[in-house]
C-alpha cells in the first residue's frame, strides 16, 4: 500500500513577470500551454517591499478566465482582512504567510475563516522561518508553501538550502501538497521533485521561455517521475 497515492504534479505559473496590462490574455495563454493552476502574487507594499494587485483585479480576471484554479499567494500584513473579498472574487486557494501573524490562535483563526469561505487553505514560510513552525497546523491545511527566494520579486536565484524543509515535510506528511516558489525552472525542478514538492510555481522560467508549453510539460514529467519513484521505494 502506498501512502503517496493521490499525489500528483501541479504546475502553476506565476503571472508576476508577465505583461500585466494583458493579464487575462497572458493567463489564458499559460492555461492553453498546460498550466494546472495560476499562481497570483498579492503584495501590499508592507509585508514585502513591492506592490501588485488586490481582489478587484482578481474578480475581473475570474470573469475573463472562468474555470482555472486561482492560487492566491498573500504577501500581506493582514491576511485575515482579505479572505472574504478574495473568496467573493473567485479565489480557490488562499495561502498566507505565517510571519504575518502572532501566535497559534491567530493562525488557527485565519485557517478557519479560509475554510468557512470555501477555499483551500495554505500556509507559506519565508526562507528564515524554520519548517517546524508550520507542523502544528499541517493537519488543518491543504498546502504548505516553502519559499525558495525572499518574497517580493520574480527572477531571483533559487535557494537550494530550502530543500531540507521540503524533505522534512514530505517525510512527515506523505499526502500533503507541498508548493515551492521562487527561482524554479528546468535547472532547479529536479531538486524540488526529489525533495518531495508537488505544487510547482514558476514565473520567469515559464513566462520568458520561447515555448512555455515545453517547460511546463517537462517540469510536470520530472515531478511525476519523482512521485512514482518515491512510491516504489516505500
Ligand atoms: C516572489 C513570488 C513568486 C515569483 C516567482 O515573491 O512569490 O511567485 O513571482 O517568480 P520566479 O519563478 O521568476 O522566481
Ligand atoms: Zn508567489
Amino acid at each position: 500500500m502506498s501512502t503517496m497515492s493521490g499525489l500528483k504534479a501541479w504546475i502553476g505559473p506565476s503571472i508576476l513577470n508577465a505583461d500585466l496590462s494583458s493579464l487575462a490574455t497572458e493567463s489564458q495563454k499559460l492555461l492553453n500551454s498546460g498550466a494546472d493552476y495560476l499562481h497570483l502574487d498579492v503584495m501590499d507594499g508592507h509585508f514585502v517591499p513591492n506592490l501588485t494587485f488586490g481582489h478587484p483585479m482578481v474578480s475581473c480576471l475570474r470573469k475573463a478566465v472562468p474555470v482555472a484554479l486561482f492560487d492566491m499567494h498573500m504577501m500581506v500584513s493582514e491576511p485575515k482582512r482579505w479572505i472574504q473579498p478574495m473568496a467573493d472574487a473567485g479565489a480557490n486557494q488562499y495561502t498566507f504567510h505565517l510571519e504575518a501573524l502572532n501566535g497559534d490562535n491567530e493562525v488557527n483563526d485565519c485557517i478557519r475563516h479560509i475554510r468557512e469561505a470555501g477555499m483551500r487553505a495554505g500556509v507559506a514560510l519565508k526562507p528564515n522561518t524554520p519548517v517546524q513552525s508550520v507542523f502544528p497546523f499541517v493537519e488543518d491545511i491543504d498546502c504548505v508553501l516553502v519559499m525558495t527566494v525572499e518574497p517580493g520579486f520574480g527572477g531571483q536565484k533559487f535557494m537550494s538550502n530550502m530543500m531540507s524543509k521540503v524533505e522534512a515535510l514530505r517525510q512527515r506528511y506523505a499526502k500533503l501538497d507541498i508548493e515551492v516558489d521562487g527561482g524554479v525552472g528546468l535547472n532547479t525542478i529536479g531538486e524540488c521533485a526529489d525533495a518531495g514538492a508537488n505544487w510547482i510555481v514558476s514565473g520567469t522560467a515559464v513566462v520568458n521561455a520561447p515555448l512555455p508549453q515545453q517547460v511546463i510539460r517537462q517540469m510536470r514529467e520530472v515531478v511525476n517521475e519523482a512521485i512514482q519513484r518515491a512510491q516504489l521505494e516505500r
Side-chain angles (χ1 to χ4, degrees):
M1 187 195 87
S2 163
T3 47
M4 298 259 303
S5 60
L7 209 63
K8 74 171 184 98
W10 291 73
I11 311 298
S14 157
I15 47 80
L16 189 60
N17 283 63
D19 177 1
L20 292 178
S21 72
S22 323
L23 185 56
T25 316
E26 293 290 319
S27 299
Q28 197 53 59
K29 230 195 278 175
L30 290 164
L31 291 164
N32 295 346
S33 299
D36 297 297
Y37 66 99
L38 293 176
H39 179 85
L40 302 175
D41 289 303
V42 176
M43 305 186 190
D44 66 353
H46 190 254
F47 183 76
V48 287
N50 198 2
L51 195 61
T52 54
F53 50 82
H55 54 92
M57 214 178 80
V58 176
S59 165
C60 294
L61 184 62
R62 177 51 87 200
K63 289 189 189 96
V65 183
V67 285
L69 192 159
F70 286 180
D71 169 36
M72 308 310 306
H73 180 189
M74 302 300 295
M75 287 163 273
V76 299
S77 294
E78 293 182 84
K80 197 175 153 189
R81 184 168 170 190
W82 310 113
I83 294 172
Q84 198 56 53
M86 281 299 180
D88 293 343
N92 304 100
Q93 172 159 286
Y94 191 97
T95 298
F96 63 95
H97 271 268
L98 205 54
E99 304 85 4
L101 296 176
N102 290 312
D104 288 12
N105 284 349
E106 281 193 21
V107 177
N108 284 320
D109 190 45
C110 208
I111 293 169
R112 191 165 46 80
H113 275 82
I114 296 170
R115 294 224 167 284
E116 282 171 5
M119 294 183 287
R120 279 169 55 98
V123 173
L125 303 176
K126 293 212 287 189
N128 286 333
T129 304
V131 68
Q132 290 81 0
S133 21
V134 77
F135 289 169
F137 312 107
V138 171
E139 305 291 349
D140 299 318
I141 58 180
D142 301 285
C143 186
V144 173
L145 166 51
V146 175
M147 287 305 298
T148 45
V149 298
E150 280 300 334
F153 302 91
Q156 301 182 74
K157 190 175 178 298
F158 178 79
M159 298 167 75
S160 287
N161 56 341
M162 293 299 116
M163 293 304 97
S164 57
K165 291 189 190 180
V166 176
E167 281 163 16
L169 283 164
R170 182 54 75 220
Q171 236 163 32
R172 288 173 80 107
Y173 309 104
K175 290 182 178 172
L176 176 69
D177 284 325
I178 304 176
E179 187 173 39
V180 283
D181 179 15
V184 180
L186 288 178
N187 293 333
T188 48
I189 188 66
E191 288 176 63
C192 300
D194 288 346
N198 68 312
W199 275 52
I200 310 298
V201 179
S202 183
T204 45
V206 168
V207 170
N208 293 347
L211 294 171
Q213 69 270 28
Q214 250 175 41
V215 179
I216 291 173
R217 198 190 58 234
Q218 281 180 41
M219 289 200 294
R220 187 186 292 110
E221 275 168 19
V222 172
V223 175
N224 278 331
E225 278 165 20
I227 291 171
Q228 274 169 19
R229 265 199 315 278
Q231 280 175 335
L232 291 174
E233 281 165 16
R234 290 183 88 87

